Amino acid sequence: MTKSSAVLFILIFSLIFKLEELRAALVLVVLLIAGGLFMFTYKSTQFNVEGFALVLGASFIGGIRWTLTQILLQKAELGLQNPIDTMFHLQPLMFLGLFPLFAIFEGLHLSTSEKIFRFQDTGLLLSVLGSLFLGGILAFGLGFSEFLLVSRTSSLTLSIAGIFKEVCTLLLAAHLLGDQISLLNWLGFALCLSGISLHVALKALHSRGDGGPKPPKGLVSSPDLELLLWSSQQDEDTEEPGCSSDHPEDLSPCCRGLRHPDAPAAQSWQRGRPARSPQQ
């Protein structure tokens, strides 16, 4: 039940960091999902104060983590729009943060285990290493999909997708393990699905409203186009009105100085560059 508060923390931090706009529909979506998940898992487990505090703290830290991740992924100045780049920079820090906990709680047991370091059966060792390798691939795919989803949508959408996964897990547990689901649980399930459906509909309407024609980015930021525009402006600055006449007697003194190869250098200051010699 406490994990349902994660979407609330993500919404709060998204509003604090101005990643989302405060809208009545958005607040309604979050309340429907959080309240529905609370009702769906009501009385499904025993209450423990220590576990409640740990899960609530994890939800709070998770809200900060994913909102900051969204800022990193969607800020063009940082150049981390690609999920692979983000994982390349963040995964070493995550490893350094988790390794001390691993060494304290699992290091001694793992170092004395006969399955890895004190193995006697090579087949069992290869089986364990293969399981670890497969788990690493799955974890990499999960992290990549999460970062990709945040970069394309928002941290709030990722949280809602995670809640949908949790609802499916609880339904499978009820079907396969025989867990009892009361009428209140089914009502919470309906509320949770309605909130998810409303969020999807709002996202679809928002993306349709922003789907108007936009100028291609490559044309606007092309270096060749900027060079061409700069050269055209330089040509316009060089040639003044009235200096294009083929008859020298019709030209102004300034234009004669520009057109005549033997013009003194004193007249060239008007153009902002040195006078050219006849050999040039």
Side-chain angles (χ1 to χ4, degrees):
M1 294 186 296
T2 313
K3 289 190 67 176
S4 60
S5 62
V7 67
L8 297 176
F9 287 118
I10 289 179
L11 175 62
I12 292 172
F13 287 112
S14 297
L15 295 175
I16 292 175
F17 293 118
K18 297 182 180 180
L19 299 175
E20 299 282 351
E21 296 180 0
L22 183 59
R23 302 189 305 270
L26 186 62
V27 176
L28 178 62
V29 166
V30 172
L31 291 179
L32 283 175
I33 293 176
L37 188 60
F38 178 84
M39 295 170 60
F40 186 56
T41 57
Y42 184 69
K43 288 186 177 181
S44 60
T45 184
Q46 295 180 355
F47 181 79
N48 183 274
V49 178
E50 183 180 358
F52 173 77
L54 290 174
V55 175
L56 190 63
S59 300
F60 179 81
I61 296 175
I64 300 178
R65 174 201 175 194
W66 284 115
T67 48
L68 294 179
T69 302
Q70 182 180 349
I71 294 175
L72 290 176
L73 287 169
Q74 297 183 357
K75 198 169 186 179
E77 293 82 1
L78 300 176
L80 295 177
Q81 291 86 356
N82 193 328
I84 298 296
D85 293 336
T86 307
M87 296 178 68
F88 177 79
H89 290 86
L90 291 184
Q91 293 292 350
L93 298 177
M94 297 169 64
F95 171 78
L96 292 178
L98 292 176
F99 185 78
L101 298 176
F102 160 75
I104 293 173
F105 293 102
E106 299 182 5
L108 181 62
H109 173 72
L110 186 63
S111 61
T112 57
S113 174
E114 295 182 356
K115 293 182 179 180
I116 298 182
F117 292 101
R118 299 179 60 188
F119 71 95
Q120 298 178 355
D121 187 3
T122 307
L124 180 61
L125 175 65
L126 294 177
S127 176
V128 172
L129 293 179
S131 300
L132 293 176
F133 182 73
L134 179 61
I137 293 178
L138 294 176
F140 175 82
L142 177 62
F144 177 80
S145 61
E146 288 177 341
F147 287 128
L148 181 63
L149 181 61
V150 173
S151 65
R152 295 294 186 267
T153 56
S154 65
S155 55
L156 186 62
T157 302
L158 174 67
S159 177
I160 293 175
I163 289 175
F164 181 75
K165 180 262 298 181
E166 292 178 4
V167 170
C168 293
T169 303
L170 292 173
L171 286 177
L172 287 176
H175 178 71
L176 298 178
L177 303 179
D179 294 347
Q180 298 295 326
I181 299 180
S182 63
L183 180 61
L184 181 63
N185 299 141
W186 283 116
L187 181 59
F189 174 71
L191 287 177
C192 192
L193 284 186
S194 62
I196 294 175
S197 302
L198 181 59
H199 177 75
V200 173
L202 291 175
K203 280 291 183 180
L205 292 176
H206 182 70
S207 61
R208 183 180 300 178
D210 294 343
K214 298 180 180 179
K217 295 182 179 179
L219 184 62
V220 176
S221 60
S222 175
D224 297 334
L225 180 59
E226 293 178 0
L227 181 60
L228 179 61
L229 293 175
W230 181 81
S231 302
S232 302
Q233 176 132 16
Q234 289 296 105
D235 293 340
E236 290 177 0
D237 292 341
T238 302
E239 186 173 357
E240 287 189 356
C243 294
S244 60
S245 176
D246 294 333
H247 302 284
E249 61 275 6
D250 296 336
L251 297 177
S252 63
C254 176
C255 294
R256 286 181 203 163
L258 292 173
R259 296 284 295 270
H260 199 276
D262 296 330
Q267 296 178 359
S268 65
W269 66 272
Q270 301 177 4
R271 298 295 93 203
R273 51 187 175 180
R276 296 181 179 180
S277 61
Q279 287 80 9
Q280 291 178 344

